[in-house]
Amino acid sequence: MQQLTIQDPDITKLIGAELNRQRQGLEMIPSENFTSLAVMEALGSVLTNKYSEGYPGKRYYGGNEFIDQIEELCRTRAKKLFGVEHANVQPYSGSPANQAVYFALLEPGDMVLGMALAQGGHLTHGYKLNFSGRFYRSVSYGVEKENERLDYDVVREIAKKEKPKLIVCGATAYPRVIDFAAFRSIADEVGAYLLADISHITGLVLSGDHQSPVPYADIVTTTTHKTLRGPRGAMILVPHSADRLHDRYHQSTKRDLAGLVDAAIIPGLQGGPHNHQTAAIGVSLKEAAEPSFADYGHQIVKNAKALAESLTEAGLTLVTGGTDNHLLLVNLGNTKLSGKVAETLLDEVGITVNKNMIPFDPRKPMDPSGIRLGTPALTTRGFTEDDMRIVGKTIAAMLQCPDDESVKAEARKTIRSLTEAHPLYPEL
Ligand SMILES: *Cc1c(COP(=O)(O)O)cnc(C)c1O
């Protein structure tokens, strides 16, 4: 960062401090990851200078010869990798991508059925203060009290009663697999569109560690910066041709889903695409097509299971008793800590997690009863099961003896040795 160092020492210093924080800590927020340097080079390129409202071959600005090729390459890679007929790679991030799907399929006031925020869903799945709950009528499904898992018969009953026009499946804090086939059959039964928002698990879908929604959903959205390990951004994938939809919904006029999605992004919601982001997404899709990406996906799940085991052995309670994917939720009920206190405590020694509601949480969202932990970022650093067991023991000791300075000192030592054994961005 030669120029930046000369021109803006303040920002340079803060970026350096953030790099050190990332290097010296254990990043365990399940929605975070470390991109490759190649992804960051594409992000930091001259592509940020260019305006290109529209789509390849149909722009409102001149000079897009190379931008067109970049976006086309990115779209082609996405279509091939996910096995879908259409991909829109322009959404600025995950929330705008979902907004575009609502805009494409619904009229204001139409009904949406999504997973409740307090039970693992996302803000954009119908939360009352979000656009999705303000411009649309939203109803929600959640997990069952006895096993903290989705019960598809219950979801079906809610759908039959409420008759939503769109059903959203996918989650931000659900440690178990999602049965997209079951959601498809529910959507068919009530004549609803099915949106699968796989933001959190895209990397696992690509590695074969989670069922793919592509055969089942009408539209798939995903962020690109979580398990996919690309830059911040999102994609909207349209699996199937308009004809199949035409049959399914008995539409009198044929709805071209791909066209509706593209029109929802621009002119519906966005102006110029972020071309540097598009190129970086393209780079991450190329990385995700390499065989080593599947190993990374398998390792994420193995690491999460090893972490779950060590936390459970140490006496902590996990929501649903464990995990099938990249994340787990600790129910702090049998410690003396709230989620907020636990987050701060772990932060003190360099373990970054986030406080999180647990299902049927008696506490408030800003200070809930749980924390959420994930393994994608540590897996990218090269952590394996043995490391995760050490991490699990360390976290458990911290949570169980929050006032013990010797436990904190020991935790700091452990974290130093783990992070030194798995250096982050050694080239920088
Ligand atoms: C992260 C996430 C989003 C939103 O992504 P942003 O890029 O933060 O807007 C949407 N849906 C789900 C399920 C997510 O996990």
Side-chain angles (χ1 to χ4, degrees), residues 251-426:
Q251 305 277 356
S252 51
T253 50
K254 189 161 137 183
R255 301 194 91 187
D256 162 25
L257 219 43
L260 286 171
V261 162
D262 283 357
I265 288 289
I266 176 165
L269 292 166
Q270 297 187 173
H274 293 180
N275 298 308
H276 54 306
Q277 188 181 41
T278 304
I281 291 171
V283 174
S284 66
L285 293 172
K286 182 161 190 272
E287 292 172 356
E290 281 160 16
S292 59
F293 191 87
D295 299 335
Y296 149 77
H298 305 332
Q299 193 62 47
I300 286 176
V301 178
K302 285 192 232 167
N303 282 350
K305 286 185 189 295
L307 179 64
E309 267 168 33
S310 69
L311 292 172
T312 308
E313 273 165 25
L316 291 171
T317 306
L318 301 183
V319 170
T320 76
T323 179
D324 297 328
N325 58 23
H326 63 301
L327 71 81
L328 31 115
L329 282 172
V330 181
N331 178 345
L332 296 165
N334 65 357
T335 69
K336 289 182 189 61
L337 308 175
S338 70
K340 187 172 150 190
V341 171
E343 179 189 296
T344 309
L345 179 72
L346 293 173
D347 219 11
E348 254 181 69
V349 298
I351 302 175
T352 315
V353 307
N354 69 279
K355 57 181 175 287
N356 214 97
M357 300 279 275
I358 58 168
F360 310 99
D361 203 321
R363 301 179 61 94
K364 299 229 156 57
M366 282 315 287
D367 194 11
S369 305
I371 51 172
R372 190 179 65 148
L373 304 170
T375 55
L378 293 185
T379 304
T380 294
R381 278 187 88 148
F383 281 55
T384 57
E385 292 98 308
D386 286 344
D387 302 313
M388 295 317 298
R389 281 187 270 271
I390 298 171
V391 171
K393 276 196 196 126
T394 305
I395 291 175
M398 290 283 298
L399 296 177
Q400 285 161 344
C401 309
D403 304 317
D404 189 333
E405 287 305 319
S406 71
V407 169
K408 274 185 206 168
E410 190 59 34
R412 286 197 181 92
K413 227 169 79 191
T414 304
I415 291 160
R416 194 171 324 119
S417 82
L418 284 170
T419 53
E420 281 171 6
H422 301 289
L424 178 67
Y425 299 128

Side-chain angles (χ1 to χ4, degrees), residues 31 92-98 120-125 168-173 196-201 221-226 232-234 326 372:
S31 47
Y92 299 144
S93 210
S95 301
N98 284 343
H122 190 257
L123 288 167
T124 55
H125 297 181
V168 186
C169 60
T172 68
D197 176 355
I198 59 167
S199 291
H200 259 263
I201 56 168
T221 53
T222 177
T223 51
T224 47
H225 47 275
K226 297 180 184 173
R232 311 200 80 74
H326 63 301
R372 190 179 65 148

